Amino acid sequence: MPASQARSRARDRNNVLNRAEFLSLNQPLKGNQESRSSSRKQSSQAGAGGAQNSGPKERRQSQQLPEEDCMQLNPSFKGIAFNSLLAIDICMSKRLGVCANRASSWGGARSMINLLGITGHGIPWIAGTLICLVKSSTLAGQEVLMNLLLALLMDIMIVAGLQKLAKRKGPYDINPGLLDYLTMDTYAFPAGHASRVAMLSKFFLNHLVLAIPLRILLVLWALCVGLSRVMIGRHHITDVLSGFVFGYLQFRLVELIWMSSNTCQMLISIW
């Protein structure tokens, strides 16, 4: 027995893994196990205590969070369709904004496009209507010009109110001009130029005797002015289309409240 014990001790001494520096490879230290188990117990106790101390409102919120996440991840069909149309509108408007700045593909034509947009601005039309009204000597002409002035003022107020409500910005970060600030046309939706040219073209087609080529040119002018607002980067495509719709509705409103010749003469005499 003593000889066998001596041999086993010699074997243990010669084994490299029994050295002190290699003991951690054979078995984990008891201190580490105890510290890990104690930290686990403390964390589980803290979680249980927090769950007990949490009020009913917090529990409701924690139960609602997964449902809210599911609602965000699974939107309704209307939401998907609206977001898709909005993304298409923004993408197409940016592609058509070829004159948004000097570095754009059609940057050299920016001045000409700006000039085309001025033809649909409210200030030149109001000034021109007032000048024609002063120089007009016929009752029929004064009646048409007074109602045209009413339509222009109504257009500025309606578009300014709608833009203040929507507060939609254009596809490009372009500051409005001085004339835009005068007519309060500072936002994108709806396009003020588009509503104005639609209202004016419909007004002239109904109340002026024009040849067919002039009627076609009038419609083309309205379409070109609306397109110029997209090309210059001030409005989206839907802003221009909605402007055309609002312009037509404004024309119908002016037709409903059309001022007679006597009313126009009374207003001119007061003025």
Side-chain angles (χ1 to χ4, degrees), residues 16 18 62 81:
V16 179
N18 288 331
S62 63

Side-chain angles (χ1 to χ4, degrees), residues 1-182:
M1 290 294 295
S4 62
Q5 290 179 357
R7 288 173 189 167
S8 63
R9 286 176 184 173
R11 262 194 244 107
D12 293 338
R13 269 190 248 109
N14 293 331
N15 191 0
V16 179
L17 296 177
N18 288 331
R19 295 181 184 177
E21 58 268 24
F22 295 109
L23 285 176
S24 61
L25 297 175
N26 293 332
Q27 54 185 358
L29 296 177
K30 294 181 179 180
N32 291 339
Q33 287 181 341
E34 292 176 356
S35 63
R36 289 174 186 170
S37 62
S38 62
S39 64
R40 288 174 184 171
K41 289 179 181 179
Q42 290 176 359
S43 62
S44 62
Q45 290 176 358
Q52 292 176 357
N53 295 330
S54 62
K57 292 182 179 179
E58 295 179 357
R59 290 177 185 173
R60 282 193 224 110
Q61 291 177 356
S62 63
Q63 292 175 358
Q64 290 175 358
L65 282 176
E67 185 177 354
E68 292 175 358
D69 293 340
C70 292
M71 291 295 291
Q72 292 177 359
L73 292 175
N74 299 304
S76 63
F77 176 76
K78 292 182 179 179
I80 294 173
F82 177 77
N83 291 331
S84 300
L85 292 175
L86 188 63
I88 293 172
D89 178 35
I90 295 172
C91 180
M92 294 299 295
S93 302
K94 285 184 175 291
R95 286 180 177 273
L96 289 176
V98 292
C99 301
N101 48 56
R102 294 292 180 184
S104 301
S105 57
W106 288 20
R110 182 178 171 81
S111 301
M112 185 178 65
I113 299 299
N114 274 326
L115 184 61
L116 181 60
I118 291 175
T119 62
H121 208 282
I123 297 298
W125 277 101
I126 291 175
T129 304
L130 289 173
I131 293 172
C132 293
L133 187 60
V134 170
K135 293 185 176 182
S136 178
S137 58
T138 61
L139 295 178
Q142 290 176 356
E143 179 183 351
V144 172
L145 289 171
M146 280 296 295
N147 285 279
L148 177 60
L149 182 61
L150 173 65
L152 290 170
L153 295 175
M154 187 184 301
D155 173 74
I156 290 176
M157 291 186 292
I158 291 175
V159 170
L162 291 172
Q163 286 187 357
K164 290 293 182 182
L165 289 175
K167 291 185 178 181
R168 187 187 188 188
K169 295 184 178 180
Y172 292 91
D173 190 11
I174 297 175
N175 295 324
L178 178 61
L179 293 177
D180 295 328
Y181 280 111
L182 290 176

Side-chain angles (χ1 to χ4, degrees), residues 209-224:
V209 179
L210 300 173
I212 294 178
L214 291 178
R215 297 172 75 89
I216 295 174
L217 286 176
L218 190 60
V219 174
L220 289 177
W221 166 73
L223 294 175
C224 289

